[in-house]
């Protein structure tokens, strides 16, 4: 399947399971089986939910390799870095590991000369990229948003296939949608906006909650234009998303997965911390309600 076709659906930004500090490949295999039985169209290891900043370069390569080995759907690998050379190297590692595409972010920490600096950065990366590239807009983590005009300019490059927008700003998303060509994929990464974005023309979603309830996200995608899609967004997806946002999506998603018995532990690496007992109770209650609505 062409990666663009797969991304016109639900892509799961997978967690990275740990066991006593090490990557738990058996749990990763169980997670992928759960996701594929739930109907996800592609998977995205080593993103924000996958705790990429806490993985070494070798660990990122191995997570992508292990995902490719077990996945029956296309794989988009996270390749975020702050320099052109490191980003290109991360894309090359993903290509060597068998990924179908890579996702890159705006350089974090150095934000003073955006948007011109971002355009220069993306152009340089795309010139040497060994895989199709998805831009990833997540200003709450990078300290800056990729301006819609920058996205539109970068979208003309043959290696640039789309954008994942996790800003939570629907106005921004609609601006990008209006300024980019139809073949450039606009993917909603903020779970609470999935159905509204789909109804306004989004091509698909890359959503952390698809780790936990992949079938619910898939159903919301398929039924976005009717009352069932609206109900799933309002009564199933958004309440669980709200319960998780307080705790950060890697810890909260792992807690929910452990509650469902998909992975054995909700272990995260520093600087993240595991969800406390009160948070676990809140997430568990929201998850139970989500599953009840989706039945």
């Amino acid at each position: 399947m062409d990666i663009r076709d797969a991304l016109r659906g639900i892509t799961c930004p997978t967690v990275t399971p740990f066991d006593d500090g090490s990557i738990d490949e058996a749990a990763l295999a169980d997670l992928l089986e759960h996701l594929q039985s739930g109907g996800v169209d592609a998977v995205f290891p080593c993103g924000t939910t996958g705790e990429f900043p806490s993985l070494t370069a070798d660990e990122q390569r191995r997570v992508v390799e292990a995902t490719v080995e077990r996945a029956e759907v296309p794989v988009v690998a996270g390749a975020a870095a702050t320099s052109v050379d490191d980003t290109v190297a991360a894309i090359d590692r993903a290509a060597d590991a068998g990924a179908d595409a890579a996702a890159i972010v705006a350089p974090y920490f150095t934000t003073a000369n955006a948007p011109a600096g971002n355009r220069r950065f993306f152009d340089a990366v795309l010139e040497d990229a060994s895989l199709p590239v998805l831009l990833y807009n997540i200003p709450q983590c990078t300290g800056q948003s990729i301006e819609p005009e920058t996205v539109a300019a970068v979208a003309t490059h043959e290696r640039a296939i789309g954008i994942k927008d996790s800003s939570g700003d629907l106005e921004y998303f609609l601006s990008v949608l209006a300024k980019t060509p139809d073949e450039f994929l606009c993917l909603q990464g903020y779970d609470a906006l999935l159905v509204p974005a789909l109804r306004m023309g989004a091509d698909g979603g890359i959503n952390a909650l698809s780790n936990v309830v992949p079938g619910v996200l898939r159903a919301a995608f398929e039924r976005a234009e009717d009352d069932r899609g609206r109900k799933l967004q309002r009564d199933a997806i958004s309440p669980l998303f709200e319960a998780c946002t307080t705790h950060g999506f890697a810890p909260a998603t792992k807690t929910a997965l452990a509650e469902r018995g998909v992975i054995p532990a909700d272990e995260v690496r520093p600087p993240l911390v595991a969800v406390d007992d009160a948070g676990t109770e809140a997430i568990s209650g929201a998850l139970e309600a989500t599953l009840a609505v989706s039945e």
Side-chain angles (χ1 to χ4, degrees), residues 45-264:
C46 298
T48 307
T49 307
E51 298 178 66
F52 83 87
S54 301
L55 302 174
T56 67
D58 286 344
E59 286 176 326
Q60 289 186 38
R61 182 201 298 269
R62 183 54 200 153
V63 168
V64 176
E65 284 177 341
T67 301
V68 170
E69 288 168 4
R70 295 166 173 83
E72 298 173 1
V73 294
V75 176
V76 179
T82 55
S83 75
V84 170
D85 287 349
D86 283 345
T87 305
V88 170
I91 295 171
D92 287 343
R93 286 194 300 273
D96 291 343
D100 299 283
I104 65 173
V105 300
Y108 36 96
F109 192 83
T110 305
T111 62
N113 62 350
N118 286 342
R119 172 69 190 280
R120 187 181 182 204
F121 174 82
F122 290 132
D123 284 347
V125 170
L126 288 165
E127 195 62 31
D128 291 329
S130 52
L131 287 173
V133 170
L134 192 69
L135 303 184
Y136 180 8
N137 186 54
I138 184 164
Q140 56 269 47
C141 293
T142 61
Q144 61 174 317
S145 187
I146 307 170
E147 294 294 328
E149 292 76 16
T150 303
V151 180
V154 172
T156 62
H157 196 287
E158 63 180 359
R159 278 300 200 189
I161 60 171
I163 184 170
K164 173 190 178 182
D165 174 40
S166 295
S167 67
D169 183 344
L170 187 58
E171 184 176 355
Y172 168 90
F173 186 83
L174 295 178
S175 178
V176 171
L177 194 61
K179 293 177 186 296
T180 52
D182 290 345
E183 62 270 19
F184 187 80
L185 303 175
C186 292
L187 309 170
Q188 182 54 248
Y190 198 80
D191 299 38
L193 293 178
L194 175 62
V195 169
L198 290 169
R199 290 175 64 84
M200 295 301 291
D203 294 289
I206 303 181
N207 307 105
L209 290 182
S210 62
N211 280 277
V212 184
V213 284
V216 176
L217 276 291
R218 182 68 205 174
F221 173 79
E222 293 176 349
R223 301 288 296 275
E225 297 296 333
D226 61 35
D227 287 342
R228 180 59 175 165
R230 289 193 294 271
K231 181 176 177 59
L232 287 172
Q233 179 71 73
R234 183 190 65 217
D235 299 336
I237 298 170
S238 291
L240 182 57
F241 183 76
E242 183 177 354
C244 291
T245 51
T246 304
H247 307 283
F249 262 87
T253 302
K254 284 184 171 180
T255 293
L257 282 166
E259 287 291 301
R260 291 209 72 183
V262 178
I263 62 174

